[in-house]
Amino acid sequence: MQTFIQIIEKIKKIKGITLDYEVADLLNISKKAFAADKKRDSLPFEELSAFCRTENISINWLLYNEGPMTIGKEYPQSLADPPRFSVAEIPPGFE
């Protein structure tokens, strides 16, 4: 697993920001909590998970540097939200 600093640097690069407090704001955590997490190299998993869902980023890529950075949009968010295709997009044999 990557360190807190490595993960934060990835987020900064993705979002085009440079300062730690900007990442804290982005993750919706206080600057004090961010500094404590950084000092302890402790990851705020819930906030990182929410960030990944919002930004369509693979948490495996963010935490472990494995797989593609983004999650493919070809899969529905849930079973209640199946993909929709126009007639022109339906693959041959599935008409």
Side-chain angles (χ1 to χ4, degrees), residues 67-80:
M69 181 179 109
T70 58
I71 298 171
K73 295 187 185 257
E74 65 273 11
Y75 300 105
Q77 293 290 332
S78 71
L79 294 176

Side-chain angles (χ1 to χ4, degrees), residues 1-5 29-45 47:
M1 181 180 298
Q2 296 194 60
T3 66
F4 181 90
I5 292 173
I29 59 176
S30 73
K31 291 157 192 63
K32 186 175 181 178
F34 183 93
D37 287 344
K38 185 176 181 179
K39 184 176 182 178
R40 293 187 314 250
D41 197 26
S42 175
L43 299 175
F45 287 105
E47 291 81 358

